[in-house]
Amino acid sequence: MSEHSGDGAMDAEVRFFGIVTASVTHELNNINSTIEQIAGLLGDDLARAANGQPPAPDRLHDIQARLVNQAQRATATIERLNRFAHTTDEPRGHLELRGLLENLVDLCRRLAGLHRVELVCDFPPDELWISCQPFLLQRVVFHCLSRLWLEAPSGEVILLTLERNTREVFISICGPPPPPGAKGAHDALLDDMVAALPGSVRRSTRDGRPTIVIGLPDVLAPGSFRIPPNEENGS
Amino acid sequence: MSQSKVLLVDDEEELVSTLTDRLRWRNLDADAATSGYAALELLQQQNYDIVVIDLMMPGLDGLDLRRIIRRDYPGVEVLLITGHGADLEGQEFDEDIVGDVLLKPFDINELVARIREKLGNDGRAGV
């Protein structure tokens, strides 16, 4: 079944959502396991205290700080997943591109790491608002990232950058040099997804490194639109 | 009677550090490594009785590390830990791996029991 249309496209979207969600639940499970063991460490100290060896105050402060750190880590992870999930609320809308991409890259770091690849973002500091399809755009970027990290040698870096002019913004995804003899297959799925955004896709090479540049129109000028309510309350 | 020597390998630094502390308090001589490569370096330097390995790690993953240990350190026992049984689906591995897996989160006493079970069957001292 083709991923380009109909049920195939729906299945591909669900798979994408499942991959990201599974990775996050794995991360949360690790955090939960860590919290349980740190709490167990406190239990061990309490058992020693019952035998006349109370823990030093610094020790208790250290355990408390470690628990808080893990809880904050869980909160940040849940917030990232929540932001991602809410990009399905509306098929199209105003979105802050830099924040969307940073969130997606954060969600993908663990997956890239399992393929021994590091993701690096080099974005300008200013917010960048566009009108686009947020979930499809994330699918496009994830598609590019995952193809690069699947083919990348161990220890490599994938670099994402953002550039803009008055009318368009360009997302550049620069991957590591392909293995010797590798022949890049035409990526018709990417072309179709970008066309549906709508946008443009250009493939080039920078310093021998394959680079995909996705062009998106509909850059929104500051003050030209109202930020949608669900962006303000962070739900 | 010497203590059993345990190497814990997990890229979750806080988790592996805490587990090491807790095992030491339970009379196991435990060390920690946060990557498969770091574990191999320690294995070259010291004699471990058992290596407890997280399945899903960046770099050298748990299954690859297990294969290397079984090949290069055949006397060392291996126990895998993982967050989800689904991590094993689609993987190619020996049929005996089922008995070598412990799911997270686990109670520390369950970990100790599994370690003792794997070492005790070989009659090693210190367990």
Side-chain angles (χ1 to χ4, degrees), chain A residues 166-197:
Chain A
T166 54
R167 290 176 302 167
E168 284 184 281
V169 62
F170 301 96
I171 304 169
S172 293
I173 304 168
C174 184
K183 296 178 183 178
H186 178 63
D187 193 346
L189 174 59
L190 176 63
D191 291 345
D192 288 350
M193 288 195 292
V194 172
L197 281 171

Side-chain angles (χ1 to χ4, degrees), chain A residues 41-64:
Chain A
L41 189 66
L42 181 59
D44 293 346
D45 282 353
L46 290 172
R48 276 194 283 260
N51 289 328
Q53 294 177 284
D58 285 352
R59 167 81 165 176
L60 295 177
H61 282 301
D62 175 65
I63 290 175
Q64 186 235 9

Side-chain angles (χ1 to χ4, degrees), chain A residues 30 37 48 66 73 116, chain B residues 12 14 22 25 59 104:
Chain A
N30 275 336
Q37 294 302 329
R48 276 194 283 260
R66 289 157 72 177
R73 189 180 152 207
R116 310 167 195 190
Chain B
E12 288 283 343
E14 180 69 72
R22 301 191 74 196
W25 193 57
K104 295 176 184 177

Side-chain angles (χ1 to χ4, degrees), chain B residues 5-8 29-32 39 42-51 75-77 124:
Chain B
K5 200 160 178 61
V6 182
L7 177 58
L8 294 157
D29 184 4
D31 289 331
L42 286 173
L43 280 161
Q44 288 178 348
Q45 299 162 12
Q46 303 186 52
N47 295 320
Y48 291 96
D49 297 305
I50 184 168
V51 184
V76 177
E77 292 288 344
R124 282 172 222 209

Side-chain angles (χ1 to χ4, degrees), chain B residues 49-52 69 73-79 118-119 122 124:
Chain B
D49 297 305
I50 184 168
V51 184
V52 180
I69 291 171
Y73 304 94
V76 177
E77 292 288 344
V78 175
L79 180 65
K118 291 197 75 68
L119 297 182
D122 293 322
R124 282 172 222 209

Side-chain angles (χ1 to χ4, degrees), chain A residues 110-117 146 149-150 152-156, chain B residues 57-59:
Chain A
R110 177 183 168 275
L111 287 168
L114 291 174
H115 291 278
R116 310 167 195 190
V117 170
S146 59
W149 73 48
L150 282 173
S154 179
E156 281 287 353
Chain B
M57 291 188 293

